[in-house]
């Protein structure tokens, strides 16, 4: 039986995942079984009564920084990356709605035929009606990452925490894929993340979270039931806060 809503620590959360998380084993684009698996993870949390916002990166389709590094003008490359996030958001919407969850894709760049424009009060109302809100197109501005967009929207929506889904079960002092002696932190401060360049999120996102006392929970998206488990008070993760 699903946990009752009062059993969760957080009532409204932001789930931030990378575009690469949707690639699965294929190395590019969207891998439907992987998208469906992540949607199922979101459903288990939604079934607990938690209000969910999502931001998905676009790196599985196009990464603005990569484009600019190859000679493309940075602003154009970043806008292309924003459009990639809209494609991912629509893919996730389709997977969630196939599971019976009402969703809204809300874009910072108006494109009325495929999604809603971002209007804060309307988005809050969607959350109150238990719809999953997937925020797409970043902040609508070049030079800002989807990490920063997730933190901005989380603050605007009054989320109580950002859940950053990654390939590892928390924040380590060095890359655990390359170093057997890497140590995972149970808890770490925003300032230590910035000072040690731990790559949790980009510096703008961490500073924005710090200034608004918004905790960041870093966990493994590959761990079945991990998202729900943390909300139920279990699981392995790193908490980034004021310390």
């Amino acid at each position: 039986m699903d946990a009752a809503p009062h059993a969760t620590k957080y009532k409204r959360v932001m789930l931030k995942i990378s575009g690469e998380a949707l690639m699965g084993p294929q190395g590019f684009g969207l891998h439907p079984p992987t998208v469906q698996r992540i949607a199922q993870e979101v459903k288990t949390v939604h079934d607990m009564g938690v209000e969910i916002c999502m931001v998905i990166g676009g790196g599985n389709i196009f990464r603005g920084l990569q484009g600019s590094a190859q000679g493309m003008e940075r602003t154009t490359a970043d806008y292309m990356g924003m459009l990639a996030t809209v494609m991912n958001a629509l893919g996730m919407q389709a997977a969630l709605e196939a599971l019976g969850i009402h969703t809204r894709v809300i874009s910072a760049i108006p494109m009325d035929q495929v999604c809603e424009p971002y209007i804060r009060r309307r988005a809050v109302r969607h959350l109150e009606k238990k719809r999953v809100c997937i925020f797409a197109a970043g902040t609508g501005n070049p030079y800002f990452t989807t990490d920063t967009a997730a933190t901005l929207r989380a603050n605007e929506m009054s989320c109580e925490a950002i859940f950053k889904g990654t390939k590892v079960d928390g924040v380590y002092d060095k890359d655990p894929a390359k170093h057997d002696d890497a140590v995972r932190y149970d808890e770490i401060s925003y300032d230590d993340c910035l000072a040690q360049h731990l790559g949790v999120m980009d510096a703008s996102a961490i500073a924005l979270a710090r200034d608004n006392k918004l905790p960041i929970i870093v966990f493994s998206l590959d761990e079945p039931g991990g998202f729900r488990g943390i909300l139920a008070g279990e699981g392995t993760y790193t908490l980034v806060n004021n310390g």
Side-chain angles (χ1 to χ4, degrees), residues 6-91:
H6 66 265
T8 65
K9 182 175 181 181
Y10 302 110
K11 305 301 184 196
R12 181 180 294 173
V13 301
M14 167 64 72
L15 174 61
K16 168 62 173 71
I17 61 178
S18 67
E20 286 89 344
L22 306 184
M23 293 190 307
Q26 65 191 21
F28 182 81
L30 286 90
H31 181 242
T34 300
V35 177
Q36 290 159 12
R37 178 182 63 78
I38 294 171
Q40 186 63 52
E41 293 281 323
V42 174
K43 181 182 187 300
T44 62
V45 171
H46 183 267
D47 288 347
M48 298 170 79
V50 178
E51 297 170 4
I52 303 169
C53 305
M54 293 182 72
V55 168
I56 307 170
N60 56 320
I61 299 170
F62 188 87
R63 185 179 291 281
L65 271 175
Q66 220 166 39
S68 64
Q70 294 172 7
M72 188 179 291
E73 194 268 323
R74 172 67 188 269
T75 302
T76 299
D78 278 357
Y79 278 121
M80 290 174 69
M82 290 179 218
L83 296 177
T85 71
V86 178
M87 295 172 69
N88 284 338
L90 292 172

Side-chain angles (χ1 to χ4, degrees), residues 200-213:
V200 177
M201 299 175 101
D202 68 75
S204 298
I206 293 174
L208 186 58
R210 177 193 63 197
D211 293 348
N212 291 278
K213 298 180 174 58

Side-chain angles (χ1 to χ4, degrees), residues 7-242:
T8 65
K9 182 175 181 181
Y10 302 110
K11 305 301 184 196
R12 181 180 294 173
V13 301
M14 167 64 72
L15 174 61
K16 168 62 173 71
I17 61 178
S18 67
E20 286 89 344
L22 306 184
M23 293 190 307
Q26 65 191 21
F28 182 81
L30 286 90
H31 181 242
T34 300
V35 177
Q36 290 159 12
R37 178 182 63 78
I38 294 171
Q40 186 63 52
E41 293 281 323
V42 174
K43 181 182 187 300
T44 62
V45 171
H46 183 267
D47 288 347
M48 298 170 79
V50 178
E51 297 170 4
I52 303 169
C53 305
M54 293 182 72
V55 168
I56 307 170
N60 56 320
I61 299 170
F62 188 87
R63 185 179 291 281
L65 271 175
Q66 220 166 39
S68 64
Q70 294 172 7
M72 188 179 291
E73 194 268 323
R74 172 67 188 269
T75 302
T76 299
D78 278 357
Y79 278 121
M80 290 174 69
M82 290 179 218
L83 296 177
T85 71
V86 178
M87 295 172 69
N88 284 338
L90 292 172
M92 182 57 66
Q93 178 182 46
L96 286 168
E97 297 209 331
L99 296 172
I101 298 175
H102 295 295
T103 71
R104 292 292 186 274
V105 173
I106 302 171
S107 172
I109 298 174
M111 45 185 86
D112 297 346
Q113 287 179 305
V114 295
C115 50
E116 290 186 8
Y118 175 68
I119 299 170
R120 190 189 70 83
R121 288 172 65 90
R122 183 189 290 175
V124 169
R125 188 70 182 125
H126 288 320
L127 290 170
E128 290 170 351
K129 291 181 177 180
K130 305 304 180 186
R131 296 166 182 158
V132 173
C133 288
I134 308 173
F135 296 101
T139 66
N141 302 288
Y143 296 94
F144 288 91
T145 67
T146 50
D147 279 347
T148 301
T151 311
L152 174 65
R153 296 290 183 244
N155 280 304
E156 289 178 306
M157 294 298 106
S158 301
C159 291
E160 296 164 324
I162 298 176
F163 280 70
K164 175 73 184 283
T166 68
K167 292 186 178 298
V168 292
D169 58 356
V171 180
Y172 286 77
D173 61 347
K174 47 193 164 187
D175 188 346
K178 297 176 181 175
H179 303 277
D180 292 337
D181 61 341
V183 176
R184 186 181 61 80
Y185 298 102
D186 286 328
E187 191 169 340
I188 190 169
S189 71
Y190 305 108
D191 288 337
D192 284 344
C193 279
L194 290 169
Q196 296 177 43
H197 304 287
L198 294 176
V200 177
M201 299 175 101
D202 68 75
S204 298
I206 293 174
L208 186 58
R210 177 193 63 197
D211 293 348
N212 291 278
K213 298 180 174 58
L214 181 66
I216 303 168
I217 293 166
V218 183
F219 72 106
S220 172
L221 200 63
D222 294 334
E223 182 67 32
F227 187 22
R228 185 187 189 283
I230 295 166
L231 281 155
E234 306 158 1
T236 304
Y237 58 90
T238 297
L239 174 63
V240 184
N241 59 14
N242 276 320

